[in-house]
């Protein structure tokens, strides 16, 4: 009696828990996944990190402020001091400039050099103070390596392609996680549908058992009929137990994706049969086919790898080759007027022009050839990998479309078979009540009806799975803003 009371209390508790479970739609579930799934959060953080690093690639074109200061106090009588006949030199020098590299490969600097100094000349023993400010414009242009920004642009393009490749792979991984979440949702919906179906099947079989029990008690049926119906009930009890086990596994997977470590039933999910009927245009409509709106992300990644390898080879070739660099500078010199008059350095504040050429040629020709061969092989490897990825994607899509069409055809047949089996079962039930059929035939029709119904449910689940797979990898445009 105590056990019965405990069982009743637990049953009420479970019923209350089920009643309180919140129904969550697929879209709401995916929002919960985004909030709670640590694997998805990790991938998304990696995507955000790579996107954030993309800006760093363009830093080569950013403005840079350079500033420096130095102080000299020289009383050593070194040769330059002797030539200038200086007893003592004290000088505070400073320079500041804003540097900028342009897409043409030109490096431009705008700034000024200045100094404030005290000088003591031997011939007069007089201290002179000098305040010298020299604004300047300086530029440097590679005429071979970086003409029109060739070397710099190749390096930036290589880094951009490499980052895009990483982003597309992360996007592909993210799509796989979201797909697994969707499949977990529908698998749980399917498992619960099977549980409900197994319950109904058990109830129908129990009615047959009860009917045979009454007939046996009245000596209107053989014991074999009763035993057959009892065995059928046990089989369906076993099937229901297995359905509960499958539901628990599906529930655990569902919860795990939400970062929950048990199989507690927290949410109710949509009935996938309702979803099937609601979106029949997507799953059932005659002639409806899958749509391929985009290229799979792993293929896009492989294509970016080709670009990365190509630009990497270009950057290497330019980096190892010869170069001719032009430099030029224009400076406005402004010495202190008092110093000009005292030392008769009239005209020292005239502008200064400087131009130069610098040529470099690495002499490791054999090593350069070996290195270039390596980059050529890397580019060929990336090209072959991309070709394989494109062929594989094409074949995978063709297989997916075939699976879709075949699943639709099988589902149509399964639904027709279920309809026929339902009619047969109804007829057998009627004949059994009239005494014109046997328990064995009725139970066999029950089993056939169960099998036909399960085939329909499995066919619907297969269509949903194929549809979600196509939607995850082919039916969405990448949201990577690069």
């Amino acid at each position: 009696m105590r056990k019965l009371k405990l069982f009743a209390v637990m049953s009420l508790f479970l019923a209350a828990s089920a009643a309180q479970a919140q129904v969550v739609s697929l879209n709401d579930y995916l929002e919960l996944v985004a909030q709670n799934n640590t694997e998805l959060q990790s991938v998304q953080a990696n995507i955000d990190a790579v996107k954030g690093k993309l800006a760093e690639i363009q830093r080569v074109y950013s403005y840079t402020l350079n500033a420096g200061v130095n102080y000299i106090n020289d009383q050593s009588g070194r040769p330059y001091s002797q030539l200038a006949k200086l007893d003592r030199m004290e000088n505070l020098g400073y320079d500041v400039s804003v540097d900028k590299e342009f897409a043409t490969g030109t490096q431009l600097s705008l700034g000024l050099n200045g100094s404030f100094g005290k000088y003591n000349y031997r011939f007069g023993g007089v201290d002179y103070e000098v305040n010298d400010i020299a604004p300047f414009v300086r530029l440097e242009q590679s005429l071979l390596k970086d003409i029109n920004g060739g070397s710099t642009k190749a390096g930036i393009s290589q880094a951009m392609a490499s980052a895009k490749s990483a982003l597309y792979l992360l996007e592909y991984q993210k799509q796989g996680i979201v797909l697994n979440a969707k499949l977990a949702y529908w698998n749980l919906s399917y498992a619960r549908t099977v549980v409900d179906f197994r319950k109904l099947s058990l109830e129908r079989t129990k009615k047959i058992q009860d009917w045979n029990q009454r007939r046996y008690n009245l000596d209107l049926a053989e014991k074999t009929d009763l035993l057959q119906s009892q065995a059928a009930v046990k089989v369906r009890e076993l099937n229901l137990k297995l359905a509960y086990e499958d539901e628990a596994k599906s529930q655990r997977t569902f919860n795990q994706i939400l970062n929950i470590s048990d199989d507690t039933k927290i949410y109710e999910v949509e009935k996938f049969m309702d979803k099937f009927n609601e979106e029949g245009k997507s799953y059932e409509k005659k002639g409806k086919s899958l749509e391929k709106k985009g290229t799979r992300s792993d293929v896009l990644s492989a294509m970016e790898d080709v670009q990365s390898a190509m630009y990497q080879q270009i950057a290497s070739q330019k980096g190892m080759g010869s170069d001719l660099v032009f430099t030029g500078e224009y400076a406005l010199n402004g010495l202190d007027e008092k110093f000009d008059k005292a030392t008769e350095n009239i005209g020292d504040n005239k502008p200064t022009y400087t131009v130069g050429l610098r040529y470099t040629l690495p002499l490791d020709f054999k090593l350069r050839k070996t290195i270039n061969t390596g980059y050529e092989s890397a580019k060929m490897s990336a090209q072959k990998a991309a070709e394989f990825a494109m062929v594989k994607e094409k074949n995978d899509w063709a297989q997916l479309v075939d699976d879709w069409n075949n699943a639709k055809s099988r589902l149509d047949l399964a639904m027709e078979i279920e309809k026929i089996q339902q009619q047969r079962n109804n007829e057998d039930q009627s004949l059994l009540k009239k005494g014109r059929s046997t328990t064995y035939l009725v139970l066999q029709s029950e089993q056939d009806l169960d099998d036909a119904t399960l085939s329909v449910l499995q066919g619907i689940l297969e269509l949903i799975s194929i549809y979600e797979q196509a939607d995850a990898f082919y039916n969405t445009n990448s949201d990577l803003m690069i």
Side-chain angles (χ1 to χ4, degrees), residues 6-21 264-265 268:
L6 180 61
F7 177 77
V9 172
M10 291 183 64
S11 298
L12 290 174
F13 174 77
L14 292 174
S17 298
Q20 294 175 358
T264 304
K265 182 178 179 180
E268 289 286 353

Side-chain angles (χ1 to χ4, degrees), residues 169 172 295-306 379-397 474:
L169 278 183
Y172 187 61
T295 304
R296 210 166 60 189
S297 295
D298 62 326
V299 178
L300 294 175
S301 174
M303 293 167 65
E304 291 297 336
D305 285 339
V306 175
K379 183 175 69 173
M380 182 178 296
S381 174
Q383 289 172 339
K384 296 300 181 183
E387 290 173 7
F388 174 80
M390 287 186 284
V391 171
K392 186 176 185 303
E393 186 215 28
K394 184 177 180 180
N395 290 335
D396 288 347
W397 174 254
Y474 301 96

Side-chain angles (χ1 to χ4, degrees), residues 230-247:
Q230 290 175 340
V233 168
K234 293 299 181 183
V235 168
R236 279 149 183 77
E237 288 177 350
L238 175 60
N239 289 336
L240 178 59
K241 183 178 183 303
L242 293 175
Y244 276 125
E245 292 176 4
D246 289 339
E247 181 189 16

Side-chain angles (χ1 to χ4, degrees), residues 269-403:
V269 295
E270 297 177 78
K271 301 289 186 182
F272 83 103
M273 283 297 295
D274 295 341
K275 189 72 173 178
F276 173 78
N277 294 329
E278 174 189 343
E279 298 193 4
K281 60 181 181 181
S282 298
Y283 301 124
E284 186 184 16
K285 186 177 178 181
K286 301 290 185 181
K288 180 69 177 179
S289 60
L290 302 182
E291 283 189 88
K292 185 177 185 292
K293 293 184 178 179
T295 304
R296 210 166 60 189
S297 295
D298 62 326
V299 178
L300 294 175
S301 174
M303 293 167 65
E304 291 297 336
D305 285 339
V306 175
Q307 294 296 312
S308 176
M310 181 185 69
Y311 284 117
Q312 194 170 24
Q313 183 183 28
I314 294 174
S316 173
Q317 290 173 340
K318 288 184 175 293
M320 292 187 299
S322 61
D323 197 14
L324 181 64
V325 179
F326 168 80
T327 58
E329 182 174 336
Y330 173 81
L332 294 173
N333 301 305
L335 288 175
D336 186 273
E337 185 177 352
K338 291 188 297 181
F339 183 78
D340 288 344
K341 292 180 178 180
T343 58
E344 298 181 351
N345 289 325
I346 304 302
D348 283 352
N349 58 351
K350 290 184 178 180
T352 300
Y353 304 88
T354 305
V355 294
L357 285 174
R358 183 177 67 254
Y359 180 75
T360 57
L361 175 64
L363 301 177
D364 51 350
F365 300 106
K366 185 176 181 180
L367 183 60
R368 287 164 55 185
K369 183 178 180 181
T370 302
I371 293 173
N372 187 60
T373 300
Y375 280 108
E376 186 66 32
S377 298
K379 183 175 69 173
M380 182 178 296
S381 174
Q383 289 172 339
K384 296 300 181 183
E387 290 173 7
F388 174 80
M390 287 186 284
V391 171
K392 186 176 185 303
E393 186 215 28
K394 184 177 180 180
N395 290 335
D396 288 347
W397 174 254
Q399 185 61 56
L400 203 62
V401 172
D402 285 346
D403 291 344

